[in-house]
Amino acid sequence: MNLVIARPEGLYCPAGDFYIDPWRPVERAVITHGHSDHARWGHAHYLAAEPCLGILKARLGHINVQGLPYGQTLEHHGVKLSFHPAGHVLGSAQVRLEVNGEVWVASGDYKTQYDPTCLPFEPVRCDTFITESTFGLPIYRWQDPTELFDQVNAWWRANAAQGRPSVLYCYAFGKAQRILASIDASIGPLIMHGAIEPLNRMYREQGVVLPETRYAGDVEDRTLAKTGLILAPPSASGSTWLRRFPDYAEAFASGWMQVRGNRRRRGIERGFALSDHADWPGLNWAIEQTGAQNVYVTHGATDVLVRYLRDKGLNAQIFKTEYGDEDDTPPASDDAASPAEDAS
Amino acid sequence: MKQFAALYESLDGMTANNARLAAVVDYLRNAPPEDAAWAVYFLAGGKPRQLVPTRLLRELAQELSGLPDWLFDECYHAVGDLAETIALVLPPPTHSVDIPLAQAMTQLLALRLLNPPQQQAELREMWQAMDRWQRLVSIKLITGSLRIGVSRLTVTRALAQIGKLDPKEVAQRLVGYTAGQAAPDASHYLALIAPPDETGAARGGQPYPFFLAHAYAQPLDVMAEQLGPSDHWQVEWKWDGIRAQLVKRAGEAWVWSRGEELVTDRFPELTAAGMYLPDGTVIDGEIVVWLQDRVAPFSILQQRIGRKNLTARILQQAPVVLLAYDLLEWQGQDWRQRPQRERRAQLQEVVAACNSPALSLSPLLIAPDWPAYAELRTQSRALGVEGLMLKAQAAQYGVGRTKDVGTWWKWKVDPYSIDAVLIYAQAGHGRRANLYTDYTFAVWDKPMGAPDRMLVPFAKAYSGLTDEEIRQVDALVRKTTVEKFGPVRSITPSQVFELGFEGIAASTRHKSGVAVRFPRILRWRHDKPLQEANTLADLQELLTPAQPPSSIA
Ligand SMILES: [Zn+2]
Ligand SMILES: [Zn+2]
């Protein structure tokens, strides 16, 4: 029996008559995490893991939402539903569905690497696993986070020694806080873009320990930035907002930075391959841990992962979804020169 | 190797020239001289020959990573660079050993002497102790594809800073440093940064940096105003050959081409002529094939260069001469600061005294005024030359494209020519419908050495190649197709062509910002590396009036 099917509105559970991370407005939406491509506006009823409520309310305002602690079961139209940590961002969850002993798990987005700002990914045994595949290629194998943050620290320290502000682009929700919780805050002040600072507050309210940060708009002493680490969303790159940090050095923290060409296309000096998604070994490890014989692959390198899993003897298929709009959006491809261009 | 890989990593992302310079200086200062010797070699563009076949590297990478062909292909497709793909898919290192660059080079160069299983065993062991960037650099070294985003000028400046030297002196010492299959060692590096040498005795066969000409493309009626009276200028034909220096020192003769390549072996006639020159003589000129009292087409010279073995027959069919036009060193003294007219006068005596058929003077052209020179210039095509060269009588011999001590102008018949890269091809019509004969050409959008350089299409050209060349291009297009868009194929850029055109104008309709009139292919520049094709800035320079020459007597 198919506990989840693909519908134009999103992934749908017919037995329970609800959707998981739907991209069109529906009556009942089960939300895996607060990134905007998974948690959209306009549903009548929301259900999410308890620690996800903070971000949902911050992003979507007054919605009709119910929280469920990780691991607790809720029964709805004969479907047993529970949330399990996905290790992606604060409050992110895998959705476990059980009907008559058959178990399906929808992963949402997940990672298997250590992250001090959220609970680690918890493998859940199931018959069918719905996995993301954002970084579903063997070239994506993340460096140990300790080593990676050593590099970030070294970069920041070297800039600070020269009196250059260090601007690090990262996604405002999840990635920014993970960076804050992992870097060596003794190097200099931490200065936040307006898109990030409110989310830091929300994290702290939920008990996540972050070092002291300042909202850029409140920083009056401009010399502070000279040794500072400035976190800003990628959209701030090239904007006038950066004018307040003369002679800044810039870097981008994203899994896509694993490939040099991606960094070059962004025109950025330094890339740190830091992602909140599973890398290739992580995806394969997670799939194996579930013991699932059936795997549905959503957004990312779906074709590659499906073929690879089939070669390993699993029953793998693609679920076409509309995720992947906000978090870790792949870099835009080159503006290919038109061959038809007439240059006579 | 770790430090060099780190230098490569940081240069890979840096965009500011002063930051790059600082990074290079920092590396060289801290590296032992034998490592610095190799680093300079690579930074200056030196490439050892491919040491291990690419196929073998890929096989080994797949074996170690356990990836099937299709999955490796997917990875390669996503990365777009084979060395980087391999570096990324290899399993994590098991331990870390930091081998100094020079020692690593010894190991890598030794790979060529091994059989494939031995090569694989060596590589397996090396890779196990290397992180991602070291692997990337080592694979690029092995495949001879290491490109570092640093201009030669940056390397020159870095060395000048370290040795507290005049960059011009360093530029001269660097000539030939990357030539051939050199294996630079500590002494080579130390010689680069050694205190200035007064006598020139230690120079060996080193040539001087070539002084390069700029295009002159102004209307005749402004020439007198811009350049002054024509009799302040030394005017010669612009030969279509290979720019070269003939060096004679310590009983030996060397021939260097403009690419700073030692080509002594290719031109035994010139080496023989050089033996009749006194020691401490360096002549600058153009190598051409000379047949029946005139210059033969460049293609004949090209064919001769293409031959592996110079048989007596080839030497007879395509004999070369060096058309001498400048004297850079005489009696062991550097003559470059002396005025053009003085160098020329002495050159005439030197050539006459040498009395060798392979060494003759590039004749001076004498006309009363600029209009008369313009008239002479119209004979260029018929004589097989490209136009006129204008050299101020009082000017010194500069370095590269500098204009501070004088300017050489090339006043070509075809006022506009650009070295462009072939990027798209389309099948022709009629008789040539089955051949790719219509081409789109591009120039670089940023200067050499800039990271993230892209090719911008600017002209289409249909004519100018011989049938044989068209067949060659056709085969190349089929072999290197990247994508097909209807009848058009995009190809992996690899070939440079010299394009001529009659006019150029700014245009917002074109991606390049310029529109050229009647473009055609002047010749296939087999000798030009892709990176040396012209840039958008060069094209735009043709739009604006040339600067008046900076020094006129
Ligand atoms: Zn997400
Ligand atoms: Zn997602």
Side-chain angles (χ1 to χ4, degrees):
Chain A
M1 184 175 60
N2 283 337
L3 296 196
V4 177
I5 58 172
R7 276 210 182 169
E9 295 85 356
L11 299 182
Y12 179 65
C13 173
D17 187 27
F18 57 79
Y19 288 83
I20 299 172
D21 293 348
W23 43 87
R24 290 191 200 161
V26 299
E27 188 62 22
R28 285 176 197 285
V30 174
I31 302 298
T32 62
H33 69 288
H35 277 137
S36 62
D37 53 326
H38 291 259
R40 300 197 193 223
W41 197 80
H43 309 308
H45 301 271
Y46 290 81
L47 176 71
E50 191 79 48
C52 186
L53 299 191
I55 179 71
L56 288 188
K57 286 176 181 160
R59 278 212 29 247
L60 304 175
H62 295 287
I63 51 169
N64 181 355
V65 59
Q66 183 189 346
L68 182 67
Y70 286 128
Q72 268 190 30
T73 305
L74 179 147
E75 199 158 336
H76 179 79
H77 295 324
V79 180
K80 286 184 197 153
L81 182 154
S82 55
F83 289 117
H84 303 267
H88 177 54
V89 289
L90 179 62
S92 67
Q94 309 172 70
V95 185
R96 181 185 186 275
L97 305 173
E98 182 179 343
V99 175
N100 298 331
E102 177 160 358
V103 179
W104 285 46
V105 171
S107 74
D109 291 343
Y110 65 96
K111 73 168 171 288
T112 54
Q113 242 190 351
Y114 173 69
D115 179 345
T117 66
C118 62
L119 291 177
F121 176 85
E122 176 195 311
V124 179
R125 303 289 293 182
C126 57
D127 303 297
T128 302
F129 186 52
I130 303 172
T131 180
E132 61 138 320
S133 62
T134 308
F135 291 105
L137 271 177
I139 53 173
Y140 297 109
R141 189 180 56 229
W142 310 139
Q143 213 176 352
D144 175 73
T146 322
E147 266 176 43
L148 187 125
F149 283 109
D150 281 349
Q151 291 172 10
V152 178
N153 289 332
W155 168 76
W156 177 14
R157 214 174 272 125
N159 295 332
Q162 294 175 44
R164 296 183 72 193
S166 302
V167 175
L168 181 56
Y169 302 113
C170 55
Y171 292 94
F173 170 48
K175 187 79 62 72
Q177 293 74 30
R178 182 181 179 197
I179 291 170
L180 290 172
S182 306
I183 42 92
D184 176 0
S186 71
I187 298 172
L190 298 164
I191 300 170
M192 301 294 114
H193 186 274
I196 294 175
E197 186 58 8
L199 292 163
N200 295 344
R201 224 172 295 136
M202 192 267 292
Y203 265 68
R204 290 192 186 100
E205 279 161 15
Q206 295 204 36
V208 178
V209 179
L210 297 180
E212 188 198 343
T213 53
R214 303 160 206 249
Y215 166 51
D218 293 341
V219 177
E220 283 178 8
D221 179 3
R222 293 260 162 128
T223 59
L224 264 187
K226 284 177 178 279
T227 54
L229 178 67
I230 295 117
L231 298 191
S235 57
S237 165
S239 74
T240 54
W241 181 81
L242 289 164
R243 281 198 200 140
R244 64 187 79 196
F245 309 115
D247 191 32
Y248 63 88
E250 56 181 358
F252 189 17
S254 158
W256 300 108
M257 295 299 108
Q258 179 85 341
V259 174
R260 293 187 306 153
N262 291 339
R263 195 207 63 240
R264 285 206 211 109
R265 274 190 280 280
R266 291 246 182 198
I268 281 193
E269 271 194 17
R270 193 68 198 265
F272 297 108
L274 177 72
S275 178
D276 289 331
H277 292 268
D279 58 2
W280 174 260
L283 290 169
N284 284 287
W285 175 82
I287 292 165
E288 218 176 282
Q289 291 294 304
T290 65
Q293 284 308 301
N294 311 305
V295 180
Y296 284 95
V297 181
T298 66
H299 60 317
T302 47
D303 294 345
V304 172
L305 191 56
V306 162
R307 178 163 176 192
Y308 185 75
L309 295 174
R310 282 186 184 164
D311 286 356
K312 287 211 312 195
L314 294 179
N315 174 23
Q317 293 171 66
I318 294 174
F319 256 155
K320 221 177 126 33
T321 61
E322 292 180 15
Y323 306 138
D325 282 336
E326 187 183 283
D327 69 306
D328 268 348
T329 306
S333 60
D334 286 68
D335 169 26
S338 151
E341 188 154 288
D342 170 25
S344 60
Chain B
M1 189 82 173
K2 233 179 211 154
Q3 280 71 30
F4 184 66
L7 174 68
Y8 178 79
E9 181 182 1
S10 57
L11 290 175
D12 193 47
M14 279 178 186
T15 45
N17 271 330
N18 53 358
R20 283 189 208 163
L21 177 63
V24 172
V25 169
D26 192 54
Y27 171 85
L28 293 177
R29 280 227 165 98
N30 293 304
E34 64 273 19
D35 286 5
W38 275 108
V40 169
Y41 174 82
F42 293 122
L43 289 164
K47 287 188 185 74
R49 225 182 309 160
Q50 175 141 8
L51 302 168
V52 174
T54 309
R55 183 185 40 77
L56 186 139
L57 292 172
R58 187 188 153 138
E59 271 172 24
L60 181 60
Q62 279 187 237
E63 185 198 318
L64 293 172
S65 60
L67 298 185
D69 283 339
W70 71 268
L71 191 48
F72 187 90
D73 286 341
E74 290 282 353
C75 291
Y76 184 20
H77 186 75
V79 175
D81 178 310
L82 187 70
E84 191 178 350
T85 309
I86 293 175
L88 287 172
V89 301
L90 287 175
T94 52
H95 59 289
S96 155
V97 184
D98 186 15
I99 304 171
L101 178 61
Q103 199 187 321
M105 282 314 299
T106 311
Q107 288 184 15
L108 292 177
L109 291 171
L111 285 172
R112 207 170 46 212
L113 308 171
L114 305 177
N115 63 34
Q118 290 169 326
Q119 289 176 332
Q120 293 205 343
E122 278 284 310
L123 287 170
R124 209 184 290 248
E125 198 174 319
M126 260 183 239
W127 286 344
Q128 260 167 13
M130 285 180 172
D131 66 18
R132 177 191 155 196
W133 283 92
Q134 290 186 65
R135 285 169 174 176
L136 175 62
V137 168
S138 73
I139 297 164
K140 288 198 169 272
L141 291 175
I142 289 168
T143 54
S145 63
L146 187 74
R147 262 184 216 101
I148 306 177
V150 166
S151 67
R152 205 176 170 97
L153 193 64
T154 303
V155 185
T156 309
R157 285 203 186 124
L159 290 166
Q161 209 169 312
I162 290 166
K164 300 194 179 60
L165 295 162
D166 181 350
K168 284 187 184 135
E169 165 106 25
V170 176
Q172 185 180 332
R173 295 177 184 188
L174 261 180
V175 173
Y177 191 84
T178 56
Q181 308 305 316
D185 61 25
S187 68
H188 294 115
Y189 174 71
L190 294 173
L192 289 177
I193 54 165
D197 174 52
E198 300 294 324
T199 62
R203 236 172 248 158
Q206 299 299 297
Y208 293 87
F210 285 87
F211 187 34
L212 305 177
H214 295 262
Y216 193 80
Q218 293 304 297
L220 181 59
D221 50 8
V222 302
M223 284 184 80
E225 186 194 325
Q226 281 193 347
L227 303 180
S230 64
D231 61 0
H232 287 187
W233 293 79
Q234 174 179 313
V235 182
E236 302 160 44
W237 295 118
K238 170 150 187 11
W239 302 102
D240 186 13
I242 294 172
R243 180 81 181 274
Q245 281 179 42
L246 176 56
V247 176
K248 171 71 191 306
R249 290 187 195 119
E252 252 193 279
W254 293 267
V255 184
W256 294 85
S257 77
R258 204 197 107 185
E260 291 181 8
E261 208 184 328
L262 192 56
V263 290
T264 313
D265 299 345
R266 313 305 303 158
F267 303 106
E269 304 99 311
L270 302 184
T271 321
M275 296 315 285
Y276 291 99
L277 292 168
D279 279 346
T281 307
V282 177
I283 289 172
D284 182 13
E286 195 96 1
I287 300 174
V288 298
V289 170
W290 199 259
L291 288 169
Q292 288 151 2
D293 280 335
R294 58 169 288 161
V295 60
F298 184 77
S299 55
I300 295 182
L301 181 57
Q302 221 165 22
Q303 282 165 24
R304 169 168 161 167
I305 299 165
R307 296 295 171 86
K308 251 210 166 77
N309 297 311
L310 282 177
T311 59
R313 210 176 108 110
I314 290 167
L315 292 178
Q316 195 196 349
Q317 280 178 346
V320 296
V321 299
L322 179 70
L323 295 170
Y325 44 66
D326 218 319
L327 184 67
L328 310 186
E329 182 177 312
W330 174 238
Q331 295 178 331
Q333 298 296 313
D334 181 351
W335 268 50
R336 292 175 300 161
Q337 270 78 51
R338 301 189 186 219
Q340 182 83 54
R341 92 164 60 75
E342 192 183 338
R343 300 200 306 273
R344 172 74 196 196
Q346 189 59 46
L347 175 73
Q348 293 182 343
E349 283 183 31
V350 173
V351 172
C354 179
N355 192 22
S356 157
L359 182 65
S360 58
L361 282 167
S362 167
L364 294 185
L365 304 176
I366 311 292
D369 52 21
W370 291 120
Y373 278 119
E375 190 57 40
L376 259 177
R377 194 175 68 120
T378 58
Q379 300 173 25
S380 300
R381 283 261 155 72
L383 293 168
V385 297
E386 296 182 314
L388 300 181
M389 286 299 303
L390 316 177
K391 305 172 180 174
Q393 297 274 16
Q396 299 176 17
Y397 188 93
V399 170
R401 293 202 186 278
T402 54
K403 287 184 177 177
D404 55 342
V405 295
T407 309
W408 281 8
W409 297 108
K410 41 184 175 186
W411 189 23
K412 289 201 189 183
V413 212
D414 215 324
Y416 304 106
S417 89
I418 278 285
D419 290 328
V421 181
L422 176 60
I423 59 166
Y424 304 119
Q426 189 171 350
H429 306 281
R431 172 171 87 87
R432 288 171 164 178
N434 57 347
L435 285 172
Y436 284 92
T437 57
D438 300 0
Y439 314 119
T440 301
F441 293 93
V443 287
W444 293 105
D445 65 346
K446 294 196 192 74
M448 178 138 54
D452 196 15
R453 272 211 315 174
M454 296 209 294
L455 287 165
V456 184
F458 82 103
K460 275 181 163 182
Y462 313 92
S463 58
L465 293 182
T466 64
D467 284 359
E468 175 53 27
E469 284 173 322
I470 288 173
R471 268 192 293 280
Q472 287 174 19
V473 175
D474 179 77
L476 184 101
V477 167
R478 291 170 199 277
K479 215 169 61 200
T480 63
T481 297
V482 176
E483 255 182 297
K484 295 181 193 171
F485 321 79
V488 180
R489 291 184 182 216
S490 74
I491 64 166
T492 309
S494 70
Q495 299 301 315
V496 177
F497 292 81
E498 189 179 347
L499 298 192
F501 41 92
E502 308 288 357
I504 180 166
S507 161
T508 50
R509 273 182 44 239
H510 297 90
K511 198 184 200 88
S512 60
V514 296
V516 296
R517 211 155 52 88
F518 304 127
R520 66 193 171 285
I521 302 164
L522 298 181
R523 62 175 156 136
W524 192 344
R525 297 292 308 255
H526 295 278
D527 58 320
K528 270 253 164 169
L530 196 59
Q531 295 301 326
E532 282 184 32
N534 282 111
T535 63
L536 215 45
D538 297 330
L539 266 181
Q540 278 149 1
E541 204 181 37
L542 296 178
L543 286 173
T544 51
Q547 298 293 309
S550 51
S551 77
I552 299 170

